[in-house]
Amino acid sequence: MPTLTAFTRLLALGALLVLGAAAQAATDPLPSWNQWPAKQAIIDFVQNTTTQGGQQFVPPEERIATFDQDGTLWVSHPMYSQVMYCLDQVPNLVEKKPHLKDVEPFKTVLSGDREAIAKLPMKELEEVLAATLTGMSTDEFQAEVKEWIAKARDPRWHRPFTELTYQPMQEVLHYLRDNGYKTFIVTGGGQDFVRVYSNAIYGIPPEQVVGTAGVTKYAYDKDGKPFLIKEPKLLLNDNNAGKPEGIHLMIGQRPQAAFGNSTGDRQMLEYTKAGDGARLSMLVLHDDAEREYAYGPAQGLPDTKIGTFTQALYDEAKKEGWTVISMKNDWKRIFTVEQSPN
């Protein structure tokens, strides 16, 4: 049996080990990431671009990082959240315009038949989006989205979408901002839609959201109060080449870092990487069917129409020095609130 002095030493050693582990955890800016090259690439990039006097130092006013949303910051399967919102709004739309109840594609949406809805042609689905995203004031739209996002539930986990953001990416957002980076969402989704919740969920204010945008028209209500009405005309398609175009229009600077997950993000990553100095281009590969989803079709994963990650995109990433993040291998956990998939 150890003496009291020896026992005290053992206790002291144990305490030091615990404190050391706690200190290491406290100094790790990305605790939900495994010690793989993707994590180190992020840390190296931040250290290199923020070290005063270093060869790759980036002045604070030039520290711009852009993030796609769907599939990059939160779950996007089996359907984009904004599309789910639009489908949920069809009954309200038909209540205001009863003649639509017998008109396709609204008739199919009202049936609630998920298989039939999933088979709707893109043209008809776009009709639903146009009808439910326009024709109201911007204030009315914001109120509707705010109410929906508070009560909507993901069909697989039956939890709010706000609980299905990716914890590792939330850590990247915080880490970059802690080091003087301004973070932007650059999404193919609706700009007005994402702006409603971006600050509460990601800490990204509305003015730092660049998305697909429609035309708004200035008008007056019956009391003479001015307002903006959302019109069914496209102003910016913020997808594919539209992403760098939107970045130039709304931000005015080439990003130092860009994060995406699909072919729709390719041009944004190309544009980012083409700049001088240290650049970081990263793609999230959904390869974890157990904890989230697995789709590609890159690397032999199942094909998909939602967030397609082709083998050609994977090959370009490897050729150009982009980092592919494996959800299965690089992330210790997936969601901000861990879920048990059904």
Side-chain angles (χ1 to χ4, degrees):
M1 180 176 180
T3 64
L4 183 59
T5 301
F7 185 67
T8 303
R9 288 174 179 168
L10 287 173
L11 285 177
L13 178 60
L16 286 172
L17 290 173
V18 170
L19 289 172
Q24 183 179 6
T27 57
D28 184 353
L30 305 173
S32 296
W33 292 70
N34 287 315
Q35 296 294 339
W36 285 62
K39 176 177 181 176
Q40 195 59 50
I42 298 168
I43 293 175
D44 288 347
F45 169 80
V46 171
Q47 291 179 345
N48 291 338
T49 58
T50 61
T51 299
Q52 188 78 38
Q55 292 184 349
Q56 296 181 317
F57 177 74
V58 175
E61 64 272 16
E62 297 178 14
R63 295 177 193 170
I64 302 293
T66 57
F67 293 77
D68 169 61
Q69 182 196 222
D70 293 304
T72 301
L73 293 179
W74 74 357
V75 67
S76 64
H77 271 235
M79 189 177 291
Y80 295 124
S81 58
Q82 185 171 351
V83 175
M84 293 183 186
Y85 163 81
C86 292
L87 296 175
D88 286 347
Q89 295 305 306
V90 168
N92 296 334
L93 176 68
V94 171
E95 186 176 342
K96 297 174 183 177
K97 301 179 179 180
H99 70 281
L100 291 177
K101 67 182 176 65
D102 296 319
V103 177
E104 292 292 357
F106 305 98
K107 183 178 179 180
T108 295
V109 174
L110 288 172
S111 73
D113 185 338
R114 289 184 176 273
E115 290 187 9
I117 294 171
K119 293 178 181 178
L120 286 174
M122 181 56 66
K123 183 179 179 180
E124 292 190 357
L125 193 58
E126 288 174 351
E127 287 183 40
V128 175
L129 269 61
T132 54
L133 295 174
T134 63
M136 75 288 288
S137 73
T138 53
D139 291 337
E140 290 171 334
F141 179 74
Q142 289 170 6
E144 289 177 0
V145 175
K146 186 175 182 180
E147 180 181 359
W148 182 84
I149 203 73
K151 65 182 182 182
R153 297 294 183 269
D154 177 88
R156 180 182 179 187
W157 284 278
H158 310 293
R159 303 290 295 185
F161 291 103
T162 53
E163 294 183 6
L164 298 177
T165 63
Y166 302 137
Q167 177 62 24
M169 297 305 291
Q170 290 277 18
E171 292 169 3
V172 174
L173 289 171
H174 286 288
Y175 183 41
L176 288 168
R177 290 197 290 260
D178 287 345
N179 285 276
Y181 274 87
K182 186 177 286 188
T183 55
F184 290 80
I185 291 176
V186 179
T187 175
Q191 181 169 276
D192 287 346
F193 184 83
V194 180
R195 282 178 169 177
V196 172
Y197 55 79
S198 62
N199 198 32
I201 297 179
Y202 305 115
I204 296 177
E207 66 270 20
Q208 290 170 214
V209 174
V210 182
T212 296
V215 172
T216 56
K217 183 179 179 180
Y218 189 77
Y220 299 93
D221 65 16
K222 61 182 180 179
D223 298 319
K225 181 179 179 181
F227 69 99
L228 292 172
I229 188 167
K230 293 172 64 63
E231 295 203 317
K233 298 177 183 178
L234 185 64
L235 179 65
L236 171 66
N237 181 10
D238 198 60
N239 202 29
N240 300 305
K243 289 203 171 189
E245 293 166 0
I247 288 169
H248 174 74
L249 178 67
M250 303 293 291
I251 304 174
Q253 295 186 66
R254 191 190 300 260
Q256 297 291 139
F259 299 77
N261 81 109
S262 73
T263 54
D265 302 308
R266 178 172 64 87
Q267 288 90 341
M268 178 172 71
L269 270 66
E270 289 175 342
Y271 180 64
T272 298
K273 193 69 173 180
D276 297 331
R279 303 281 166 167
L280 183 66
S281 293
M282 307 192 83
L283 286 166
V284 176
L285 178 63
H286 293 255
D287 58 356
D288 196 328
E290 181 177 345
R291 295 188 299 170
E292 202 243 16
Y293 293 97
Y295 53 90
Q299 299 299 93
L301 293 168
D303 203 351
T304 178
K305 295 180 180 179
I306 304 295
T308 305
F309 191 137
T310 63
Q311 186 62 43
L313 180 64
Y314 187 92
D315 293 342
E316 181 178 2
K318 294 300 182 181
K319 178 182 177 182
E320 299 299 330
W322 306 350
T323 301
V324 176
I325 300 165
S326 166
M327 185 176 281
K328 183 176 182 179
N329 296 322
D330 286 309
W331 290 357
K332 294 180 182 178
R333 59 183 292 182
I334 303 292
F335 300 119
T336 49
V337 176
E338 286 291 4
Q339 306 295 342
S340 297
N342 296 326

